[in-house]
Amino acid sequence: MSKLIIPTYYERLLDMKQTEQGIKQIKDFFQMNLSTELRLRRVTAPLFVLKGLGINDDLNGVERAVTFPIKDLGDAKAEVVHSLAKWKRLTLAEYEVEPGYGVYADMNAIRADEELDNLHSLYVDQWDWEAVITREDRNLDFLKRVVRRIYAAILRTEYLTCETYNQIKPFLPRDIHFIHSEDLLAMYPDKSVKEREDLIAKKYGAVFIIGIGGKLANGEPHDGRAPDYDDWTTETAEGHRGLNGDILIWYPILDRAVELSSMGIRVDKESLLRQLKLSGEEGREKLYFHQKLLAGELPLSIGGGIGQSRLCMVLLHKAHVGEIQASIWPDDMVKECEALGMPLI
């Protein structure tokens, strides 16, 4: 059954040729700006990793990875990546990247358990990035500075897009607002997570919600996070927990908040052990990635992912991510989108 979000009003501003040209321009320009802002070097990323090493991203811990046997490795199992959250940290160590510098990659993934709608696809493409930091950088002020740099790159890309296509008008605010998920819950205690996100994003236009993964005052997390990459339990000077978060913008075409990036300061040895225990996942301590982290062989880092198709979608004022990327969609969704003037690729 289609989970299509039907926009109140939608006009396709670019034809398919212009859309493809716009996608290339946005991807080329944004990754150059992201690389400059955060001092990142491009690296080649894997499409799959070996199962059982703890390298693949477990997302919320329930999504199934696409798995296949490798003939020349005695049918050892490989998994298509969900993201590169942990692989990037291994890469930082392998390349001996210095503090203040990092890497980024074009990440392509398959998420077979995704619920398909205007924003979610089986195919995921992200700029996955990771940078080395010092012990002194593991604080909320540093996290906010990095968020502002990423948002500045988004604003410059929006400006270029609107200059190229005059029919597209800018809508993003100049500044991004910061709020902790605990404070957001206190503001709207009777609302669901999605409703809280919509209300705060509509109020400010762009927002970074801090503290994703840990339980809030109502006993529930704002959203799920695996216990072994983002640090969502370290207490901050502001009296809250969590050194991670999500960048969301208010998207008028769909009349809702849209997440563009999930990111954060990564776990150190102490927060990894703490979060594995809270999640009942102490068994992961024996995996390859976790052993290297616990042995002090991986650098402290900050990192995240920025959705490529989703960023192109909002900057080109599209109503469905299927107008940006080629994927598989339910037949009823394809027909409905065609009738609404938003044909899927």
mmCIF file of all heavy atoms in Angstrom, residues 87-120:
data_model
loop_
_atom_site.group_PDB
_atom_site.id
_atom_site.type_symbol
_atom_site.label_atom_id
_atom_site.label_comp_id
_atom_site.label_asym_id
_atom_site.label_seq_id
_atom_site.Cartn_x
_atom_site.Cartn_y
_atom_site.Cartn_z
ATOM 1 N N TRP A 87 33.695 2.036 8.972
ATOM 2 C CA TRP A 87 34.748 1.838 7.980
ATOM 3 C C TRP A 87 35.618 3.078 7.843
ATOM 4 O O TRP A 87 36.852 2.993 7.724
ATOM 5 C CB TRP A 87 34.120 1.483 6.633
ATOM 6 C CG TRP A 87 35.123 1.354 5.524
ATOM 7 C CD1 TRP A 87 35.829 0.244 5.172
ATOM 8 C CD2 TRP A 87 35.555 2.398 4.625
ATOM 9 N NE1 TRP A 87 36.668 0.528 4.111
ATOM 10 C CE2 TRP A 87 36.520 1.840 3.763
ATOM 11 C CE3 TRP A 87 35.204 3.746 4.478
ATOM 12 C CZ2 TRP A 87 37.136 2.579 2.763
ATOM 13 C CZ3 TRP A 87 35.831 4.494 3.495
ATOM 14 C CH2 TRP A 87 36.781 3.910 2.652
ATOM 15 N N LYS A 88 35.005 4.265 7.895
ATOM 16 C CA LYS A 88 35.765 5.505 7.726
ATOM 17 C C LYS A 88 36.793 5.695 8.835
ATOM 18 O O LYS A 88 37.887 6.213 8.597
ATOM 19 C CB LYS A 88 34.814 6.703 7.694
ATOM 20 C CG LYS A 88 33.901 6.773 6.487
ATOM 21 C CD LYS A 88 32.908 7.903 6.611
ATOM 22 C CE LYS A 88 31.987 7.721 7.796
ATOM 23 N NZ LYS A 88 30.982 8.792 7.926
ATOM 24 N N ARG A 89 36.443 5.272 10.027
ATOM 25 C CA ARG A 89 37.370 5.452 11.154
ATOM 26 C C ARG A 89 38.584 4.530 10.997
ATOM 27 O O ARG A 89 39.707 4.914 11.320
ATOM 28 C CB ARG A 89 36.633 5.180 12.466
ATOM 29 C CG ARG A 89 37.307 5.795 13.674
ATOM 30 C CD ARG A 89 36.361 5.863 14.834
ATOM 31 N NE ARG A 89 37.032 6.317 16.042
ATOM 32 C CZ ARG A 89 36.442 6.395 17.229
ATOM 33 N NH1 ARG A 89 35.162 6.051 17.356
ATOM 34 N NH2 ARG A 89 37.115 6.826 18.281
ATOM 35 N N LEU A 90 38.348 3.350 10.490
ATOM 36 C CA LEU A 90 39.468 2.459 10.175
ATOM 37 C C LEU A 90 40.360 3.078 9.094
ATOM 38 O O LEU A 90 41.584 2.961 9.138
ATOM 39 C CB LEU A 90 38.935 1.103 9.701
ATOM 40 C CG LEU A 90 38.210 0.247 10.746
ATOM 41 C CD1 LEU A 90 37.456 -0.886 10.064
ATOM 42 C CD2 LEU A 90 39.193 -0.322 11.762
ATOM 43 N N THR A 91 39.718 3.752 8.140
ATOM 44 C CA THR A 91 40.459 4.383 7.053
ATOM 45 C C THR A 91 41.318 5.534 7.561
ATOM 46 O O THR A 91 42.459 5.731 7.112
ATOM 47 C CB THR A 91 39.491 4.869 5.961
ATOM 48 O OG1 THR A 91 38.749 3.746 5.465
ATOM 49 C CG2 THR A 91 40.231 5.524 4.809
ATOM 50 N N LEU A 92 40.792 6.313 8.501
ATOM 51 C CA LEU A 92 41.576 7.401 9.091
ATOM 52 C C LEU A 92 42.857 6.861 9.717
ATOM 53 O O LEU A 92 43.931 7.457 9.585
ATOM 54 C CB LEU A 92 40.761 8.133 10.155
ATOM 55 C CG LEU A 92 39.561 8.957 9.683
ATOM 56 C CD1 LEU A 92 38.830 9.540 10.889
ATOM 57 C CD2 LEU A 92 39.983 10.072 8.734
ATOM 58 N N ALA A 93 42.720 5.729 10.404
ATOM 59 C CA ALA A 93 43.901 5.123 11.030
ATOM 60 C C ALA A 93 44.868 4.598 9.977
ATOM 61 O O ALA A 93 46.090 4.796 10.073
ATOM 62 C CB ALA A 93 43.470 3.992 11.965
ATOM 63 N N GLU A 94 44.340 3.952 8.950
ATOM 64 C CA GLU A 94 45.190 3.370 7.905
ATOM 65 C C GLU A 94 45.966 4.450 7.160
ATOM 66 O O GLU A 94 47.145 4.274 6.832
ATOM 67 C CB GLU A 94 44.328 2.580 6.920
ATOM 68 C CG GLU A 94 45.105 1.886 5.824
ATOM 69 C CD GLU A 94 44.218 1.113 4.876
ATOM 70 O OE1 GLU A 94 43.004 1.049 5.118
ATOM 71 O OE2 GLU A 94 44.749 0.576 3.884
ATOM 72 N N TYR A 95 45.314 5.598 6.897
ATOM 73 C CA TYR A 95 45.955 6.687 6.163
ATOM 74 C C TYR A 95 46.754 7.610 7.083
ATOM 75 O O TYR A 95 47.376 8.558 6.612
ATOM 76 C CB TYR A 95 44.914 7.508 5.412
ATOM 77 C CG TYR A 95 44.344 6.839 4.185
ATOM 78 C CD1 TYR A 95 44.528 5.484 3.932
ATOM 79 C CD2 TYR A 95 43.604 7.562 3.263
ATOM 80 C CE1 TYR A 95 43.994 4.879 2.821
ATOM 81 C CE2 TYR A 95 43.067 6.970 2.131
ATOM 82 C CZ TYR A 95 43.266 5.616 1.919
ATOM 83 O OH TYR A 95 42.734 5.023 0.805
ATOM 84 N N GLU A 96 46.704 7.360 8.380
ATOM 85 C CA GLU A 96 47.414 8.168 9.379
ATOM 86 C C GLU A 96 47.080 9.652 9.225
ATOM 87 O O GLU A 96 47.950 10.539 9.190
ATOM 88 C CB GLU A 96 48.929 7.953 9.264
ATOM 89 C CG GLU A 96 49.336 6.503 9.533
ATOM 90 C CD GLU A 96 50.841 6.291 9.433
ATOM 91 O OE1 GLU A 96 51.531 7.168 8.880
ATOM 92 O OE2 GLU A 96 51.312 5.250 9.935
ATOM 93 N N VAL A 97 45.776 9.944 9.154
ATOM 94 C CA VAL A 97 45.304 11.316 8.988
ATOM 95 C C VAL A 97 45.533 12.107 10.276
ATOM 96 O O VAL A 97 45.266 11.618 11.375
ATOM 97 C CB VAL A 97 43.811 11.325 8.602
ATOM 98 C CG1 VAL A 97 43.287 12.752 8.498
ATOM 99 C CG2 VAL A 97 43.611 10.576 7.280
ATOM 100 N N GLU A 98 46.008 13.330 10.128
ATOM 101 C CA GLU A 98 46.302 14.186 11.273
ATOM 102 C C GLU A 98 45.037 14.864 11.797
ATOM 103 O O GLU A 98 44.073 15.050 11.050
ATOM 104 C CB GLU A 98 47.316 15.264 10.856
ATOM 105 C CG GLU A 98 48.667 14.729 10.450
ATOM 106 C CD GLU A 98 49.417 14.116 11.623
ATOM 107 O OE1 GLU A 98 49.305 14.668 12.738
ATOM 108 O OE2 GLU A 98 50.097 13.085 11.432
ATOM 109 N N PRO A 99 45.019 15.249 13.089
ATOM 110 C CA PRO A 99 43.877 15.996 13.635
ATOM 111 C C PRO A 99 43.612 17.252 12.814
ATOM 112 O O PRO A 99 44.536 17.944 12.373
ATOM 113 C CB PRO A 99 44.332 16.336 15.052
ATOM 114 C CG PRO A 99 45.291 15.254 15.412
ATOM 115 C CD PRO A 99 46.026 14.938 14.137
ATOM 116 N N GLY A 100 42.321 17.540 12.601
ATOM 117 C CA GLY A 100 41.935 18.691 11.802
ATOM 118 C C GLY A 100 41.704 18.375 10.346
ATOM 119 O O GLY A 100 41.263 19.242 9.573
ATOM 120 N N TYR A 101 41.980 17.137 9.943
ATOM 121 C CA TYR A 101 41.789 16.706 8.562
ATOM 122 C C TYR A 101 40.970 15.411 8.544
ATOM 123 O O TYR A 101 40.809 14.748 9.571
ATOM 124 C CB TYR A 101 43.134 16.475 7.870
ATOM 125 C CG TYR A 101 43.950 17.731 7.733
ATOM 126 C CD1 TYR A 101 44.793 18.138 8.765
ATOM 127 C CD2 TYR A 101 43.865 18.520 6.593
ATOM 128 C CE1 TYR A 101 45.542 19.307 8.650
ATOM 129 C CE2 TYR A 101 44.608 19.682 6.468
ATOM 130 C CZ TYR A 101 45.445 20.076 7.507
ATOM 131 O OH TYR A 101 46.172 21.225 7.386
ATOM 132 N N GLY A 102 40.468 15.075 7.361
ATOM 133 C CA GLY A 102 39.654 13.871 7.289
ATOM 134 C C GLY A 102 39.473 13.365 5.879
ATOM 135 O O GLY A 102 40.205 13.751 4.954
ATOM 136 N N VAL A 103 38.475 12.504 5.716
ATOM 137 C CA VAL A 103 38.193 11.883 4.428
ATOM 138 C C VAL A 103 36.684 11.953 4.156
ATOM 139 O O VAL A 103 35.878 12.085 5.067
ATOM 140 C CB VAL A 103 38.640 10.403 4.385
ATOM 141 C CG1 VAL A 103 40.141 10.290 4.605
ATOM 142 C CG2 VAL A 103 37.882 9.570 5.423
ATOM 143 N N TYR A 104 36.338 11.884 2.867
ATOM 144 C CA TYR A 104 34.930 11.705 2.504
ATOM 145 C C TYR A 104 34.862 10.750 1.326
ATOM 146 O O TYR A 104 35.838 10.577 0.586
ATOM 147 C CB TYR A 104 34.245 13.038 2.187
ATOM 148 C CG TYR A 104 34.501 13.575 0.798
ATOM 149 C CD1 TYR A 104 33.614 13.300 -0.252
ATOM 150 C CD2 TYR A 104 35.612 14.356 0.519
ATOM 151 C CE1 TYR A 104 33.843 13.802 -1.527
ATOM 152 C CE2 TYR A 104 35.850 14.859 -0.746
ATOM 153 C CZ TYR A 104 34.959 14.582 -1.769
ATOM 154 O OH TYR A 104 35.186 15.068 -3.036
ATOM 155 N N ALA A 105 33.696 10.134 1.178
ATOM 156 C CA ALA A 105 33.519 9.143 0.116
ATOM 157 C C ALA A 105 32.102 9.206 -0.425
ATOM 158 O O ALA A 105 31.170 9.614 0.276
ATOM 159 C CB ALA A 105 33.806 7.738 0.654
ATOM 160 N N ASP A 106 31.956 8.819 -1.687
ATOM 161 C CA ASP A 106 30.622 8.600 -2.255
ATOM 162 C C ASP A 106 30.159 7.237 -1.784
ATOM 163 O O ASP A 106 30.714 6.213 -2.194
ATOM 164 C CB ASP A 106 30.672 8.634 -3.780
ATOM 165 C CG ASP A 106 30.812 10.047 -4.319
ATOM 166 O OD1 ASP A 106 29.933 10.864 -4.034
ATOM 167 O OD2 ASP A 106 31.801 10.320 -5.016
ATOM 168 N N MET A 107 29.188 7.216 -0.904
ATOM 169 C CA MET A 107 28.685 5.965 -0.358
ATOM 170 C C MET A 107 27.405 5.565 -1.088
ATOM 171 O O MET A 107 26.477 6.355 -1.227
ATOM 172 C CB MET A 107 28.391 6.133 1.141
ATOM 173 C CG MET A 107 28.045 4.840 1.869
ATOM 174 S SD MET A 107 26.332 4.281 1.676
ATOM 175 C CE MET A 107 25.438 5.546 2.534
ATOM 176 N N ASN A 108 27.376 4.327 -1.575
ATOM 177 C CA ASN A 108 26.175 3.760 -2.180
ATOM 178 C C ASN A 108 25.781 2.533 -1.381
ATOM 179 O O ASN A 108 26.630 1.684 -1.080
ATOM 180 C CB ASN A 108 26.428 3.381 -3.634
ATOM 181 C CG ASN A 108 26.762 4.585 -4.478
ATOM 182 O OD1 ASN A 108 25.884 5.369 -4.816
ATOM 183 N ND2 ASN A 108 28.036 4.768 -4.811
ATOM 184 N N ALA A 109 24.505 2.457 -1.020
ATOM 185 C CA ALA A 109 24.055 1.380 -0.147
ATOM 186 C C ALA A 109 22.692 0.878 -0.589
ATOM 187 O O ALA A 109 21.982 1.527 -1.368
ATOM 188 C CB ALA A 109 23.987 1.868 1.305
ATOM 189 N N ILE A 110 22.340 -0.286 -0.071
ATOM 190 C CA ILE A 110 21.005 -0.854 -0.262
ATOM 191 C C ILE A 110 20.411 -1.092 1.122
ATOM 192 O O ILE A 110 21.036 -1.744 1.962
ATOM 193 C CB ILE A 110 21.052 -2.184 -1.038
ATOM 194 C CG1 ILE A 110 21.651 -1.969 -2.427
ATOM 195 C CG2 ILE A 110 19.647 -2.782 -1.153
ATOM 196 C CD1 ILE A 110 21.894 -3.271 -3.188
ATOM 197 N N ARG A 111 19.235 -0.550 1.357
ATOM 198 C CA ARG A 111 18.541 -0.771 2.622
ATOM 199 C C ARG A 111 17.197 -1.441 2.311
ATOM 200 O O ARG A 111 16.188 -0.784 2.038
ATOM 201 C CB ARG A 111 18.347 0.539 3.390
ATOM 202 C CG ARG A 111 19.687 1.162 3.803
ATOM 203 C CD ARG A 111 19.527 2.422 4.623
ATOM 204 N NE ARG A 111 20.822 3.003 4.962
ATOM 205 C CZ ARG A 111 20.984 4.177 5.564
ATOM 206 N NH1 ARG A 111 19.908 4.892 5.894
ATOM 207 N NH2 ARG A 111 22.188 4.633 5.838
ATOM 208 N N ALA A 112 17.229 -2.764 2.330
ATOM 209 C CA ALA A 112 16.085 -3.553 1.860
ATOM 210 C C ALA A 112 14.853 -3.389 2.743
ATOM 211 O O ALA A 112 13.728 -3.635 2.286
ATOM 212 C CB ALA A 112 16.477 -5.023 1.781
ATOM 213 N N ASP A 113 15.034 -2.994 4.007
ATOM 214 C CA ASP A 113 13.907 -2.889 4.931
ATOM 215 C C ASP A 113 13.346 -1.478 5.012
ATOM 216 O O ASP A 113 12.489 -1.190 5.864
ATOM 217 C CB ASP A 113 14.334 -3.340 6.330
ATOM 218 C CG ASP A 113 14.539 -4.844 6.409
ATOM 219 O OD1 ASP A 113 13.961 -5.556 5.566
ATOM 220 O OD2 ASP A 113 15.274 -5.311 7.299
ATOM 221 N N GLU A 114 13.805 -0.567 4.159
ATOM 222 C CA GLU A 114 13.318 0.808 4.192
ATOM 223 C C GLU A 114 11.843 0.857 3.809
ATOM 224 O O GLU A 114 11.393 0.143 2.905
ATOM 225 C CB GLU A 114 14.118 1.665 3.214
ATOM 226 C CG GLU A 114 14.046 3.155 3.474
ATOM 227 C CD GLU A 114 14.812 3.577 4.715
ATOM 228 O OE1 GLU A 114 16.040 3.715 4.649
ATOM 229 O OE2 GLU A 114 14.149 3.769 5.758
ATOM 230 N N GLU A 115 11.079 1.687 4.517
ATOM 231 C CA GLU A 115 9.685 1.917 4.158
ATOM 232 C C GLU A 115 9.647 3.006 3.094
ATOM 233 O O GLU A 115 10.049 4.145 3.343
ATOM 234 C CB GLU A 115 8.863 2.310 5.388
ATOM 235 C CG GLU A 115 8.727 1.191 6.403
ATOM 236 C CD GLU A 115 7.748 1.527 7.516
ATOM 237 O OE1 GLU A 115 7.155 2.634 7.465
ATOM 238 O OE2 GLU A 115 7.562 0.697 8.402
ATOM 239 N N LEU A 116 9.168 2.678 1.902
ATOM 240 C CA LEU A 116 9.300 3.548 0.739
ATOM 241 C C LEU A 116 8.250 4.652 0.730
ATOM 242 O O LEU A 116 7.058 4.402 0.854
ATOM 243 C CB LEU A 116 9.193 2.709 -0.538
ATOM 244 C CG LEU A 116 10.125 1.497 -0.616
ATOM 245 C CD1 LEU A 116 9.943 0.770 -1.941
ATOM 246 C CD2 LEU A 116 11.574 1.915 -0.429
ATOM 247 N N ASP A 117 8.741 5.885 0.586
ATOM 248 C CA ASP A 117 7.851 7.038 0.445
ATOM 249 C C ASP A 117 8.595 8.126 -0.308
ATOM 250 O O ASP A 117 9.587 7.851 -0.983
ATOM 251 C CB ASP A 117 7.338 7.523 1.815
ATOM 252 C CG ASP A 117 8.462 7.913 2.771
ATOM 253 O OD1 ASP A 117 9.569 8.247 2.295
ATOM 254 O OD2 ASP A 117 8.235 7.891 3.995
ATOM 255 N N ASN A 118 8.162 9.368 -0.203
ATOM 256 C CA ASN A 118 8.776 10.463 -0.944
ATOM 257 C C ASN A 118 10.236 10.693 -0.577
ATOM 258 O O ASN A 118 11.005 11.242 -1.374
ATOM 259 C CB ASN A 118 8.019 11.769 -0.696
ATOM 260 C CG ASN A 118 6.559 11.688 -1.061
ATOM 261 O OD1 ASN A 118 5.833 10.825 -0.566
ATOM 262 N ND2 ASN A 118 6.100 12.597 -1.911
ATOM 263 N N LEU A 119 10.646 10.294 0.625
ATOM 264 C CA LEU A 119 11.972 10.592 1.135
ATOM 265 C C LEU A 119 12.858 9.364 1.311
ATOM 266 O O LEU A 119 14.065 9.497 1.506
ATOM 267 C CB LEU A 119 11.865 11.316 2.480
ATOM 268 C CG LEU A 119 11.170 12.674 2.456
ATOM 269 C CD1 LEU A 119 10.885 13.149 3.865
ATOM 270 C CD2 LEU A 119 12.020 13.691 1.708
ATOM 271 N N HIS A 120 12.282 8.166 1.258
ATOM 272 C CA HIS A 120 13.024 6.949 1.571
ATOM 273 C C HIS A 120 12.992 5.983 0.385
ATOM 274 O O HIS A 120 11.934 5.714 -0.184
ATOM 275 C CB HIS A 120 12.446 6.265 2.814
ATOM 276 C CG HIS A 120 12.519 7.117 4.042
ATOM 277 N ND1 HIS A 120 11.495 7.970 4.404
ATOM 278 C CD2 HIS A 120 13.490 7.255 4.970
ATOM 279 C CE1 HIS A 120 11.839 8.601 5.518
ATOM 280 N NE2 HIS A 120 13.040 8.189 5.881
#
